[in-house]
Amino acid sequence: MSDDATGRGLSRNLTSYGDRDFSVYLRRSFAASMGYSRQALDRPIVGIANSASGFNNCHRHFPELIEAVKRGVLMGGGLPVEFPTISLGEVFLNPTSLKFRNLMAMDTEEMIRAQPMDAVVLVGGCDKTVPAQLMGAASADLPAVQLVAGPMMTSRHGTERLGACTDCRRFWAKYRAGEISAGQIAEIEARLATTAGTCAVMGTASTMACIAETLGMALPGTAAIPAVHADRLRAAEASGLAAARMIDNPIRPSQVITERSVENALRVLLALGGSTNAVIHLTAIAGRLGIRIPLARLNQLSDETPVLVNLKPVGQHYMEDFFFAGGVGAVLRELRPLLHLDTLTVTGETLGERLARDPGWVDRSVIASAEAPLEPRGGLVALFGNLAPRGAILKRSAADPRLFEHEGRAVVFSSLDDLARRVDDPELDIGPDDIMVLQNAGPRSESGMPEAGYLPIPRKLAARGVKDMIRISDARMSGTAFGTIVLHVAPEAAIGGPLALVRTGDRIRLSVREKRLDLLVDEAELARRRAEWTSTVIPPERRRGYDRLYAEHVLQADEGCDFGFLLPPA
Ligand code: FES
């Protein structure tokens, strides 16, 4: 960081010409060309990181939201200056948005660091954007407030309520099973996502919004406000004001994101029955400040933290119901005895102080009490064993308990292409008790760890009414999906992890009770297969640009899939 980072407003982070006064003079002159008065340019600056894009439906209301942020900054005596970063629209990116999360984090960090601003409001929402912004802000360590997009409203199809994207999958599964027609699926396609905002269920975006609020980086009460609700605009105004207030009383991300607030966030993730992706993202955010999240610790917290929130994909309701039921505040109140109450929020308040002034409203049909939870233990569990020495994740709250203790025959797909080619082949040798295994879909694979872990039930089994099977991969799963799906197997197949050694016909044993995932093949045979294994991935030296940077530096799932060089020096 240059010495100029200690300056204020426009004279912060000066362009280097070897003459400081000239740099200030030139910058003021060029800024004045945008119509600013000298009085405006003398104010401290709050940057507004805008991740809107024509390729991001979830952020389509950002112009209005950012106007409200600007109003708040002006009320606090600052000058609001909006700047663009890249945007990651979940369904618009190939091969998968996760591959670009670190690119957006680098963009966010470097633009916060390089441009003249004293504080920043991060405006994001769609799955990878909030983690990217928090990772970047943690590394830049300038006072920052996270403002999220807010969830979409639900829609209707006949008498049924629809919300992206659990219902996208539910109806697609019905279509695959021949239960609904091509005409009906086309009608549903037009009704699944009808307003601005992020997916309407407790998927990755909503989980990360709740995590941002629990960490203390977003204002209290703001995570669940629907995107189109007037309160969302008031939250934007308040976020701008809070950022402006932090200029004279700086609270840095490193004071907010601590081991204790990260543990609170993990508790909330578990109580929400939140997205498996959030484990990767929270690990990456915490990692930027040197905080580790061992998966064994996740299991300890999971055993002590009840599931409280009855939202899809696990439960019944949608994000708008969660908002009206009391939102994150109501969940935090229930978890109070388990939380660290001395953690700081960007308002300067501690979590304990926030809860002391909490209004106390809750709708018990959506948010259960700690005394009568939906499940006594958390929604996520980490599995270890010879198939996942560094761990794997199962969302047990979204899985079929009848499969929790199961031994079955492996049916292996060596890649996503292999899966697409064979899964619906009527000749595929597979039964409902078999275990589907997908290899080469982890972070180092060419596919960049897509949300492909929700392997489709083979069409011939789906047509027989099979709704769930054990599916194992080094891929991820959408936060809106459900099933007995083991994900994030580490180390992954593409670097020769044990997953690469599985063959069709092997026996695999899953035990949720023992938190184990084992390949029942003797060690001598595994050693023989290991000696024969060769990588199918294109090596980094035959790639270029960001693809090469990614291939050289991406870490495994248990390390948050960040780039090693973005972690703080040891
Ligand atoms: Fe943006 Fe689901 S597509 S949150």
Side-chain angles (χ1 to χ4, degrees):
M1 194 179 287
S2 77
D3 290 341
D4 286 325
T6 57
R8 190 175 164 108
L10 211 60
S11 52
R12 195 182 160 89
N13 296 329
L14 287 168
T15 314
S16 302
Y17 294 111
D19 177 343
R20 190 178 187 285
D21 290 343
F22 174 75
S23 298
V24 175
Y25 150 81
L26 194 69
R27 180 175 284 176
R28 255 199 323 253
S29 163
F30 279 46
S33 79
M34 292 187 272
Y36 290 111
S37 65
R38 181 69 183 263
Q39 199 185 3
L41 295 179
D42 283 345
R43 285 188 172 202
I45 294 174
V46 175
I48 304 170
N50 180 359
S51 57
S53 158
F55 290 110
N56 196 332
N57 58 296
C58 301
H59 296 190
R60 76 165 152 94
H61 58 318
F62 277 18
E64 192 184 24
L65 211 51
I66 284 170
E67 276 314 303
V69 176
K70 288 179 177 173
R71 195 161 66 232
V73 173
L74 291 169
M75 284 161 56
L79 176 67
V81 181
E82 177 188 341
F83 63 97
T85 67
I86 61 166
S87 184
L88 305 177
E90 186 59 25
V91 300
F92 293 95
L93 289 157
N94 175 273
T96 182
S97 64
L98 180 66
K99 182 167 180 181
F100 305 100
R101 183 202 60 183
N102 298 348
L103 182 63
M104 182 171 175
M106 289 168 71
D107 180 0
T108 305
E109 174 185 348
E110 297 305 333
M111 289 304 102
I112 292 173
R113 211 199 290 288
Q115 299 177 129
M117 64 190 83
D118 302 280
V120 63
V121 179
L122 310 158
V123 192
C126 195
D127 288 14
K128 309 304 177 294
T129 59
V130 169
Q133 290 182 327
L134 289 175
M135 290 161 73
S139 294
D141 210 23
L142 191 77
V145 179
Q146 179 75 60
L147 173 67
V148 298
M152 289 179 205
M153 302 299 284
T154 53
S155 173
R156 299 267 166 181
H157 175 66
T159 54
E160 282 205 72
R161 219 170 151 197
L162 291 186
C165 217
T166 302
D167 296 322
C168 318
R169 292 171 202 287
R170 186 163 63 86
F171 281 104
W172 190 251
K174 284 187 180 193
Y175 174 58
R176 275 180 60 80
E179 293 170 24
I180 58 173
S181 68
Q184 284 171 307
I185 198 76
E187 269 177 31
I188 290 161
E189 178 185 297
R191 292 175 181 159
L192 282 165
T194 51
T195 76
T198 48
C199 286
V201 298
M202 192 51 81
T204 305
S206 297
T207 308
M208 289 311 302
C210 297
I211 281 178
E213 184 177 328
T214 306
L215 283 172
M217 290 297 295
L219 295 188
T222 59
I225 305 167
V228 296
H229 196 290
D231 280 358
R232 174 60 53 202
L233 294 172
R234 280 186 274 274
E237 185 187 284
S239 299
L241 180 60
R245 285 189 174 148
M246 281 203 289
I247 293 170
D248 288 327
N249 301 294
I251 299 169
R252 297 183 181 279
S254 56
Q255 295 169 270
V256 177
I257 304 169
T258 62
E259 215 157 299
R260 293 163 81 78
S261 70
V262 167
E263 198 157 294
N264 289 345
L266 280 169
R267 295 261 190 211
V268 166
L269 163 62
L270 292 161
L272 296 173
S275 163
T276 47
N277 284 316
V279 178
I280 290 180
H281 298 319
L282 188 57
T283 301
I285 295 162
R288 291 301 183 95
L289 294 164
I291 302 164
R292 294 259 311 142
I293 303 180
L295 288 177
R297 181 67 184 139
L298 175 73
N299 277 344
Q300 286 169 354
L301 296 175
S302 193
D303 282 345
E304 305 164 0
T305 309
V307 178
L308 301 175
V309 177
N310 185 4
L311 246 61
K312 287 175 185 265
V314 179
Q316 322 237 290
H317 300 284
Y318 293 89
M319 279 303 286
E320 67 202 59
D321 307 318
F322 180 59
F323 169 64
F324 290 114
V328 174
V331 176
L332 291 171
R333 273 201 320 275
E334 293 302 322
L335 295 178
R336 200 172 195 283
L338 299 173
L339 298 175
H340 302 292
L341 298 174
D342 57 352
T343 56
L344 201 57
T345 71
V346 287
T347 57
E349 249 183 348
T350 63
L351 178 59
E353 287 164 348
R354 174 208 167 155
L355 292 180
R357 65 167 180 78
D358 191 274
W361 160 249
V362 64
D363 176 348
R364 287 281 179 233
S365 67
V366 181
I367 302 171
S369 70
E371 290 72 42
L374 299 173
E375 296 285 338
R377 290 172 309 157
L380 301 177
V381 61
L383 305 168
F384 298 92
N386 74 347
L387 192 48
R390 285 171 56 180
I393 296 284
L394 172 74
K395 187 171 180 177
R396 63 179 158 196
S397 55
D400 184 345
R402 287 174 305 174
L403 295 170
F404 281 7
E405 307 298 320
H406 183 83
E407 186 188 311
R409 184 187 73 124
V411 175
V412 177
F413 301 91
S414 61
S415 67
L416 286 165
D417 285 346
D418 185 34
L419 175 72
R421 214 170 28 244
R422 294 195 295 125
V423 71
D424 288 335
D425 183 344
E427 301 302 312
L428 181 68
D429 174 17
I430 193 163
D433 293 331
D434 289 340
I435 295 178
M436 298 173 77
V437 175
L438 172 65
Q439 299 167 325
N440 295 308
R444 290 258 171 162
S445 73
E446 253 109 86
S447 55
M449 204 179 184
E451 292 185 338
Y454 179 71
L455 277 65
I457 303 287
R459 199 183 291 270
K460 68 178 186 184
L461 296 182
R464 279 167 45 192
V466 176
K467 298 270 187 255
D468 197 7
M469 293 171 68
I470 297 178
R471 289 158 270 179
I472 300 172
S473 74
D474 44 14
R476 296 175 300 118
M477 166 172 92
S478 164
T480 62
F482 48 87
T484 309
I485 297 176
V486 178
L487 304 154
H488 310 181
V489 169
E492 64 175 296
I495 60 168
L499 189 68
L501 309 181
V502 186
R503 304 277 184 271
T504 292
D506 289 348
R507 306 291 295 177
I508 291 176
R509 187 169 155 265
L510 167 70
S511 171
V512 176
R513 189 175 51 235
E514 294 170 27
K515 301 185 174 76
R516 286 199 66 88
L517 184 66
D518 289 295
L519 177 59
L520 306 179
V521 174
D522 68 59
E523 190 40 53
E525 171 61 14
L526 289 179
R528 193 186 63 72
R529 293 181 191 177
R530 202 172 291 119
E532 274 177 5
W533 177 82
T534 52
S535 172
T536 55
V537 175
I538 301 170
E541 57 277 14
R542 285 184 29 220
R543 305 185 186 195
R544 60 166 296 284
Y546 180 71
D547 184 45
R548 179 169 181 158
L549 188 76
Y550 177 88
E552 280 173 346
H553 296 286
V554 71
L555 300 172
Q556 291 292 287
D558 61 330
E559 299 167 308
C561 300
D562 202 356
F563 293 157
F565 66 86
L566 292 173
L567 302 181

